[in-house]
Amino acid sequence: MAEPDFTATGVRIGKRLRSLTRAGQVRISDGRLRLLTSYGSEIDSAPVQAVRASKPWFAPEDRALADLNGTRYSLTLGDHDPAPGQPGTPSARRFIEAVRKAAGRGR
């Protein structure tokens, strides 16, 4: 298995008003975006070209939206990137950039 293009752990993943996990994982590898529970079970996945990632209006800096297979997921990542070499959840902005880069849409 190839090294993932993007990985975030400790992500709160929700669908509408329901929280699916408070410590989930978001992983982009092999051209797919995967949303996983804290135990590694797959919540949803889709080819990166079919995923739409965005920043919701009037939301804190740590929030991002991801549309996969017709379902909108709310992701709560870090509000800023960790220092180089330090563990931590990447920012929502970095997640959105990673989705665009993996899909070949640039910035």
Side-chain angles (χ1 to χ4, degrees):
M1 182 186 257
E3 186 70 25
D5 299 333
F6 178 86
T7 301
T9 57
V11 179
R12 179 180 289 248
I13 301 172
K15 183 165 70 170
R16 298 189 187 249
L17 297 175
R18 187 172 147 227
S19 177
L20 300 175
T21 183
R22 287 186 265 169
Q25 300 175 33
V26 176
R27 189 172 294 159
I28 298 174
S29 64
D30 301 327
R32 291 189 72 80
L33 173 72
R34 290 179 176 82
L35 301 178
L36 307 168
T37 66
S38 57
Y39 298 109
S41 301
E42 188 172 287
I43 296 171
D44 204 351
S45 73
V48 185
Q49 291 82 6
V51 174
R52 198 174 93 217
S54 60
K55 175 103 179 69
W57 286 21
F58 306 111
E61 287 294 316
D62 62 350
R63 297 276 173 91
L65 297 174
D67 291 332
L68 282 82
N69 302 322
T71 304
R72 177 170 287 177
Y73 294 95
S74 172
L75 308 175
T76 304
L77 296 112
D79 55 355
H80 61 280
D81 287 324
Q86 296 295 317
T89 305
S91 68
R93 183 173 6 102
R94 195 163 131 221
F95 164 71
I96 294 168
E97 289 171 2
V99 170
R100 291 180 180 157
K101 181 181 172 188
R105 293 188 285 248
R107 264 183 77 79

